[in-house]
Amino acid sequence: MKRYIAYSAILALVWCFVHGTVNINNFILGLIIAPFVIRPFKTLFNFDKEFSFSNALSKIPAQIKYLYVLIVEIIKANIMVAKIVLQPKIDIKPGIIAVPIDTKTDLGITAIANTITLTPGTLTIDMSDDRCLLYVHAIDATDPEGVAQSIKDDLEKYVLEAFE
Amino acid sequence: MTTLITKTITKICLPLVILFSISLLLAGHNNPGGGFIGGVMFASVIALTYVAFGLNYIKSFFNPDWGNWFGFGLLLAALTAFSAIAFSHNFFRSAVEFIHLPFFGEIELVSAGLFDIGVYFVVIGGLLSIFKNVGDDE
Amino acid sequence: MNNTLLSLTIAILFGIGTFLILRRDIVRVIIGLGVLSHAVNLLIVSAGVFSGTKVPIITDDGGHGAAEATGSIFTDSLSQGILAPIIEAGHHVDYVDPLVQALVLTAIVISLATTAFILILAYRIYEEYGTTDIRELRRLWG
Amino acid sequence: MSFMLLEYSLIFMVISFIPCIYRVIKGPTIPDRVVALDAMTTIIVVMLGIYSYVQGSVFFMDVALVLAIISFVGTVTVAKYLDDGVVF
Amino acid sequence: MDSFTAITIAVFLPFILAGILPTVEKLLKDKVGWYASAVAFLSLIMVAQVAPEIIHGETIQGTIEWLPSMGINLSFYADGLSIMFGFIVSGIGVIIMSYSNGYMSKKEDLPRYYQQLLFFMGSMLGMVFSANTIQLFIFWELTSITSFMLIGYWRNRPMSVYGATKSLIITASGGLFMLAGFLVLHAITGTFDIPTILHNESIREALHSHNLFIYALILIFIGAASKSAQGPFYIWLPNAMEAPTPVSAFLHSATMVKAGIYLIARVHPIFSGTEAWFILVSGVGIFTMLLAGFLAFRQTDIKGILAYSTISQLAYLMTMYGYTTHHEPGIGVAAATFHLLNHATFKACLFLVAGIVAHEAATRDITKMGGLRKEMPITFIVATIGALSMAGIPPLNGFLSKEMFYESSVEMGHLLGGPYTILIPALAVLGGVFTFAYSIKFIDGIFLGKRPSKGLPEHIHDPSMVMLAPAIFLAGLIILFGLVPSIPVHNFIEPTVSGILLEPTTLHVKLWHGFTTSLMMTIATFILGILIYTQYDRIAEWQNRFNAMFPWFSVNYYYDGAVNNAKDVTFKFSSRMQPGPVKNYVIAVLLLTLAMFAIPATMLATNFIPQNLNFDVPLYEGLIFLFMIIAALGAALLPKYLPAIISLSGLGYLVALLFIYLQAPDLALTQVLVETLSTIIFLLALVKIPQKFKEHIPTTTLARDLIISVAVSAMIFILLINATQGIVPPFETLSYYFIEKSLALAGGHNIVNVIIVDFRGYDTLGEISVLCLAALGVYNLIHSRGEDE
Amino acid sequence: MILNIFSNMILVIGLFFVFLAMLGLARLPDVYNRLHATTKIGTLGAFGVMLSILLKVGFSPMGVKAMTVALFILVTSPVAAHMISRAAHRHGVGLCKESVIDEYGKACNAACPEPEED
Amino acid sequence: MNLSTHIPIILIATPILVAALMILLRKQPGIQKVLSVAVSFAMLILSIILLSQVWSGGIQAYEVGEWGKYGIILVADLLSSGMVVLTSFVSFLALIYSLDYIEKKSLSASYYPLFSLLVAGLNGSFLTGDIFNLFVFFELLLLSSCGLVIANEQGGVTKSSDKMEATFKYLVLNMLSSIVMLIAVSSLYATTGTLNMADISVKLSAMSAAGTLPWYVFAIALMFVVVFGNKAAIFPLHYWLPDVHPTAPSPISAMLSGVLIKVGAYGMLRVFFLIFIDTLDIFKPVIMYLALATIVVGAISAVAQTDVKRLLAYSSVSQIGYVFLGISFGSIYGITAALVYLVNHAVAKSMLFLTSGGIIHHAGTRDMRKMGGMVDSAPLMSLMFLVGAMSIAGMPPLGGFIAKLSLFDAGIGEQYYFAIGIALFFAIFTLFYMFRAMLLMFWGEKRDVEKYGEYSHHGTSVLMAVPIVVLALTVVAFGIYAEPLITLANATAHQILDPQPYIDAVLVRVVR
Ligand code: NA
Ligand code: NA
């Protein structure tokens, strides 16, 4: 039930967004529609697990922080790739490396994977079946351990805070 | 099989796109959109879940008879068109009504909207029934 | 939009589509039908009879049941045997021709339906014949 | 301003198409083509955004959103097909 | 009862009473034949009731409205000709149906047999009394169909089926030619009504001078010739002998085959008096007379002999009706008419005998028979009377009419002058000689000589009276007509001849009228006939040998060849026309489309290309066009499916982009959605289809396909640049109305959407039905497996 | 005014990045490297353009939708890249010759087929 | 609420509604059966009422949505309402026949909606007064017939691979002609600014009167020859027919040969004699040559066939050639004859196809060489086939005879001797192949039981026999008493050749 309410609220906001007008009317309309949309797919949305509002709300600052880090990293990433693309002669040493991760939840893993892709020089290709390793394509794979370490240090901790 | 990452994002997209499809359906009369476009959006996001999770898994908890959907849509569309005859008008004569709701203000109700909903269901039902029939085929 | 070049492009697309439907491979033929249907959709749009520049969506809402959006328009008065040519009315119309768009919408949906059917048909044909070569599809002969 | 913006942006974007078309045709592998097609939709989304702004009409933004969504669906489907040989 | 009613009843009674025959059969069981005889007898009475009026020189006519809008009605006309035929048909009908009671085994499907006989009789009566050409044709074809049914009475015997088919194809097709002739006649005269043409001098004169005259004549003659087995069409009649013998007697000697003769007599007043008539009718007649008489020698089947004799006798009739000059329209009409009646008597008689013999001797092969005169004396006498009449021996009726034949031949030869003076009588005598020979063979072979030691049943005897009486009756008629010719001449021949010549005619036929040329010719016939008969077997053998050496020297060779090879030849044709791969069909469609465009373009267009072409283009537009073409080329040329499909998808996105430029957001939306869905469905299909197939295109094919493609491109380009010049002159367009009323009346801002859900929502209803259909169709496709082999 | 200049700046940068992404698509040696370009730069480019529109029009329907588009692309494009690259690798598309390491290929141990030209 | 004015739309929308209901009710075969037959019968009655209304009250126009000529107008004139009666009649009987003929699962899952939509497509095509709407309904026809062709028969003898192949050819060629139609329709719109056929007619006439009729209008007009010719399967657009009609389940073959190919003839009459009057001088000779080629090719190919349904299909090709020959005369008599021919062929050929279904059930094969002597084991089928074959061959006193008679009479009256000569000659082919088929199947020796097995005893159930007999009686009735049909055809021909009342009925009205 709580999950319903929470998801409905989020979806009502989404409704406003896709509708293009964020106002109370639309939000209420969204609240009315949302349960019908979630209901058939509740198996997909962990409805068997407990949900607590306070828990969810408490993560918001961490999430905002994560977003900030993400944006900064993205800009760095872009500048890096832009440099490579604009080189007269492209000189790179790419490769695929395995990066161990500590994140356990679905959302967390997804977040870290996506973050890796959006950040400098790395691109998530796959995840091992035991959910412990991410296979990452790095533009500069000359130092696999270094890349893994930087992912751990610069990204994963924020993701863990925000989504675990 | 697809990965956890895809599945998670698909989960996020699913309600979002469904809402968007409803919004397109309702906006159709005044903005781009309408029953067909909304319906295709809906169908494609369901198709996305079929792709991401596998048809059999989705069917285990969400397995509507899409045939009924397009049957219903066609029925709704045809009945809407027919209803004009009951009002001593020609088939498909449309009606525009403005009603005042306490909270939402003035709302425009058009018979064509009902027809568009019929289209919406036909598109969803038709496309997904094709997908399911072919996808189920061994 | 440059009509001559658009026409030329459409014509070339038709040519390519035609070349494709003359192939022996069913999948190619279907791709060719796809190209042709793109071409024909463009053709219909280019058959719009007047060229405004605005999206045919009325934005200046003067309230419901509002006054005419485009000014007065002549009407053919057939009962009096008059075919009134449009003289000024065309100038009032800022929109592009909405009718051809509606026609194309219908055409697109129909071609989607037919394409879906023919593709699944191709799938079944492969199952039955073990090939997509139309030259093998000649059990019905004579 | 806005017409100039439109003109130049559009020319710029259309020129950006060239590599995409090149990759779609040249490949060499199917994933290359898929990437290129995906990139093409990104360009169109961008163009739609600009166009929408310049025209002052929200209509094209809807197209952009739909395109973003549907191209994701398409890409995932093709990728799955490439990977598993099945669609659903 | 007035005469018209009587005729109507005579015609329709057999149909109606035949309709209830199966019910009657439940009651009467195997006595149902007598019911049929009674029906025939009723018709005979009806015909007889009308006869006095006709003999007095009147004609009867009446009409029932049927198809007034086409000028075709159900109308009957009775004059001497029709009454005579009416008598022959119904009279012999009674005889044959009575005879059948003895002939047909009780195990046979009797209701079907009698029903079809009655249908035939009704059709025949309907034909001879028809007053309009279309009605005549209808009954004519009905006789063909009933004849087909009766020949094929034993439906499981291959030879019956063969004979039935042959007769139907020849006679019914001939009928179609006749119909065409009637239609030409209609086109010339403006009427379908026969009496109108017969009795209207001016119409006939106009007809004779019309340039279509000859075509009408030829077409109608083809009908007559096919039905009466003349010329090359004779071939069906011998095979028609597969029918039960009473049927052969009735249809294929006495009545149906005379339909052609009837037709010739009927149209005689219309067409005769022209050279064409003589050349066509008499020419074909003489040819057939000689050919059939000669070919009869080869026959070993007694019914075969009779079949060929029938052909040659009918040819006599044709020949005589054909005798005409401008001043003497009907030289042989009287002779022909009399011989027609006589032939009906003696030939029916001989067929009945043949039936009896075949029934008793259990064979129809004349080489296996002989000496039966002792065992079946009555049959022998009856047969002899019939055969001698056919041979033209006095004092039988055949002699009289043959004399008249010779007489008219002499007259015709004389009128033509030159070599014809001798030639025509000589050919007539030759025909008589053949007739004499095969007539004698019939008697000699069956009844005279020695009984063969084996092959025949032990006890052969005269049949019961049921079968014998009709034959005796006919033999009696033969003698009666021979001795007292005035009875038939006064009652039948004179009214008929008057009817044909359209003027009152009196005839004087006597058994003895001095030593005339014709008597000399008769004597010559006997002498030559006996001479020929001594060589009979040798001639037959010679014919057989000739036939074996030159199989192609017969019409049957061509008929059989055509029918047997029809399947192979046509299959070759149709498999060339319909070779399988859809590609050729697509080419056909494209070529036709191009032709349809090219015809007006070359005929009417002064300039293909309008003046105001504009090739200035902003860079981005030009690039988008270029990209579209490249993407389409990619779809066309990339060798593997998936790249091609991705390329096609790219084209779709570019089209969507173009729609955006064209200010069509709805279209762009729909386009991108549909594009992606199509791709997904493509992938669904490709799940099963591997990328194995690789087409190698030969240069010629490539060149042809390229030419077609370029032509299509050119067509579209020319059409488009012309058609998109704007409305000429600028009419109001529907769109103005939609723009104006969209918000005001339909309450929607999005005009395109309002059009598709409101103004033209009905289209959309159809469109979503199409979507449902696709879904249902795909369901069927997926679930259509399983019942294979 | 400043906002306008700022937004135009973002727009131009965005467009430039989109262009760069496409350049990368053409120039980089294999599909994995090309994905770096399109995913990272392309996403940022699109994001930038949408952001600039949001800045220009504020939270009007157009702005909100532009933002929605931007967020959607941000969320989905890495996943699309992940799916494609994964499929490419499993489909047998090899790394470019400059590559120095392939731990994924080892992990897959299933003998990947030779890279093929399509 | 005066329902009688709504009949045109009811005839189209009801089948769509019923199709929707049938989709929803596909788990209740009982209700489906009763409802579909009841509705089909009601439609038959309504269509007859419509025809009589038009006969007595003149042309009826029905504005869908009350938008005047700006929306879509349905027009019921004698031609269209007559065709609708024909459709309703044949489809009612074919539906009854289907109840026992189509495989149960296929029947309840998809057959009824597909069939209903086919009927909707037919009625819609006949009644619409809007050229683009015609396109939409053509697509409806196309896809519904495709779906039905692949429906399973009870104990079917047609391999599903054959069905796939046939459907593919059908679909490709028809999609191609749809594309041609769209090109033509949109070019026409670009030229006249309207889609309403009456309106187009007026505008083209105005251009013609003013001397500004552009040449390409003629090209557009002739493109419609391809469009409708493809539907009607005239040479060289007939290639799909001999594959599709035989592989379809028999009641569907009956619908396809009986009614569907007539849509092409209808379209030609409608479009050329209403819209493109100025192009008739080119149109008539073109159609005449195509019609003659169609007659020849169809007839010769029919002779080659050993598959009974394929033979009937080729016969349809040839016969439709005769219909077009009548149309190509372009005169009152020619068109009357064409219409009479059309109706007679529809009835007789549907009957023959239904009969062939019974034959196939009985013999377990479509190959005539594997039959023989069936007259004893299947007497009813034998008689019915005879009636149908005779009618097609133009033998009196059946309907086909009246048709050929009026056609030949018209042709000779109009002095088309060459054409009639060919038509006549190939009528003999018709006679030949029809009777040969009859003899192969019903007469002759019984087939080799060792090789092909015994004939099945359950040849024809009552539900299958009744429609056949009804059609046979109609065939006979059209021969014995043809006056009403000819009168109707004649009045229709007059109406076709004088488009003004049609135009008035459509255009003279108040617009919202
Ligand atoms: Na994407
Ligand atoms: Na024929």
Side-chain angles (χ1 to χ4, degrees), chain C residues 78 97 128-129 137 139 142, chain G residues 160-161 165 189 310 314 507:
Chain C
L78 285 164
D97 190 341
E128 299 281 350
Y129 286 82
L137 263 70
R139 289 188 198 164
Chain G
S160 60
S161 60
E165 181 185 333
Y189 174 75
R310 203 169 168 85
Y314 270 116
L507 295 184

Side-chain angles (χ1 to χ4, degrees), chain G residues 295 298-300 302 314-319 322 341 392-393 404 426-427 429-431 433:
Chain G
I295 291 173
I300 295 180
Y314 270 116
S315 158
S316 286
V317 172
S318 170
Q319 298 296 310
Y322 285 92
Y341 209 109
I392 297 288
K404 279 215 170 67
F426 283 93
F429 271 62
T430 313
L431 187 78
Y433 65 68

Side-chain angles (χ1 to χ4, degrees), chain G residues 125-395:
Chain G
S125 308
F126 291 135
L127 287 170
T128 190
D130 186 281
I131 193 104
F132 187 80
N133 191 245
L134 188 64
F135 162 78
V136 173
F137 277 88
F138 270 15
E139 297 299 307
L140 207 60
L141 285 181
L142 173 62
L143 271 187
S144 56
S145 46
C146 281
L148 286 166
V149 167
I150 48 180
N152 290 341
E153 296 137 284
Q154 198 100 266
V157 296
T158 308
K159 282 186 272 174
S160 60
S161 60
D162 288 0
K163 293 190 175 204
M164 300 301 146
E165 181 185 333
T167 313
F168 182 74
K169 291 174 182 171
Y170 181 51
L171 205 52
V172 167
L173 294 181
N174 273 283
M175 284 170 83
L176 198 55
S177 90
S178 296
I179 287 168
V180 175
M181 182 169 188
L182 277 177
I183 296 170
V185 168
S186 51
S187 312
L188 208 51
Y189 174 75
T191 314
T192 60
T194 178
L195 296 167
N196 184 304
M197 293 200 266
D199 207 10
I200 298 174
S201 169
V202 168
K203 286 177 176 170
L204 290 183
S205 309
M207 284 184 204
S208 179
T212 56
L213 189 65
W215 68 269
Y216 60 83
V217 168
F218 289 76
I220 295 171
L222 287 184
M223 280 182 168
F224 279 103
V225 170
V226 178
V227 174
F228 298 125
N230 193 59
K231 279 273 172 285
I234 61 172
F235 177 87
L237 310 166
H238 68 282
Y239 292 108
W240 55 270
L241 190 144
D243 291 349
V244 173
H245 287 203
T247 43
S250 294
I252 299 311
S253 315
M255 286 295 287
L256 296 179
S257 252
V259 195
L260 200 82
I261 55 173
K262 275 47 174 204
V263 174
Y266 166 84
M268 294 265 194
L269 286 171
R270 180 56 82 227
V271 162
F272 281 94
F273 290 86
L274 173 66
I275 301 180
F276 298 117
I277 302 167
D278 289 300
T279 67
L280 279 179
D281 288 340
I282 299 182
F283 167 77
K284 284 196 260 182
V286 165
I287 285 298
M288 180 173 293
Y289 290 121
L290 292 179
L292 289 175
T294 309
I295 291 173
V296 173
V297 170
I300 295 180
S301 307
V303 174
Q305 303 310 314
T306 50
D307 170 347
V308 51
K309 288 182 76 176
R310 203 169 168 85
L311 178 133
L312 293 176
Y314 270 116
S315 158
S316 286
V317 172
S318 170
Q319 298 296 310
I320 203 76
Y322 285 92
V323 173
F324 276 96
L325 189 61
I327 293 176
S328 75
F329 298 155
S331 63
I332 294 277
Y333 295 118
I335 292 176
T336 306
L339 293 171
V340 172
Y341 209 109
L342 184 154
V343 171
N344 273 302
H345 177 253
V347 176
K349 193 50 72 64
S350 333
M351 190 265 237
L352 281 173
F353 267 118
L354 294 187
T355 310
S356 75
I359 292 167
I360 293 164
H361 262 197
H362 184 64
T365 177
R366 295 191 337 220
D367 191 337
M368 296 189 289
R369 291 168 301 187
K370 297 179 186 168
M371 303 180 196
M374 294 201 311
V375 67
D376 301 317
S377 52
L380 178 71
M381 291 300 108
S382 164
L383 179 66
M384 294 296 112
F385 196 90
L386 176 71
V387 170
M390 273 176 45
S391 180
I392 297 288
M395 288 286 107

Side-chain angles (χ1 to χ4, degrees), chain E residues 437-516:
Chain E
Y438 62 66
S439 300
I440 300 304
K441 177 71 181 174
F442 187 79
I443 301 300
D444 188 16
I446 299 174
F447 297 102
L448 305 179
K450 271 197 294 190
R451 194 184 200 274
S453 50
K454 55 179 183 180
L456 289 177
E458 282 188 22
H459 302 290
I460 294 180
H461 49 75
D462 276 325
S464 69
M465 268 327 262
V466 175
M467 284 169 81
L468 213 42
I472 295 173
F473 175 71
L474 288 170
L477 280 185
I478 291 169
I479 297 171
L480 179 70
F481 288 180
L483 294 177
V484 197
S486 62
I487 298 176
V489 167
H490 178 67
N491 288 320
F492 298 122
I493 312 302
E494 281 177 0
T496 307
V497 173
S498 313
I500 295 174
L501 296 180
L502 298 174
E503 61 192 16
T505 316
T506 325
L507 296 173
H508 305 283
V509 181
K510 274 184 278 180
L511 203 53
W512 176 255
H513 39 94
F515 277 102
T516 53

Side-chain angles (χ1 to χ4, degrees), chain E residues 154-158 161, chain G residues 362-363 365 367-378 438-457:
Chain E
W154 287 298
R155 296 179 290 206
N156 299 338
R157 295 186 189 168
V161 174
Chain G
H362 184 64
T365 177
D367 191 337
M368 296 189 289
R369 291 168 301 187
K370 297 179 186 168
M371 303 180 196
M374 294 201 311
V375 67
D376 301 317
S377 52
M438 224 201 74
L439 298 176
L440 270 175
M441 292 189 292
F442 297 109
W443 288 18
E445 287 168 275
K446 200 179 156 193
R447 74 173 175 200
D448 189 350
V449 174
E450 305 246 311
K451 220 163 163 188
Y452 305 118
E454 285 286 349
Y455 289 127
S456 118
H457 293 290

Side-chain angles (χ1 to χ4, degrees), chain B residues 75-110:
Chain B
L75 188 71
L76 181 64
L79 279 180
T80 308
F82 253 122
S83 62
I85 295 182
F87 295 102
S88 296
H89 276 296
N90 275 6
F91 186 81
F92 238 119
R93 161 88 187 211
S94 56
V96 187
E97 282 296 326
F98 293 87
I99 56 165
H100 205 83
L101 282 185
F103 196 76
F104 295 95
E106 197 168 61
I107 295 216
E108 185 189 19
L109 285 182
V110 286

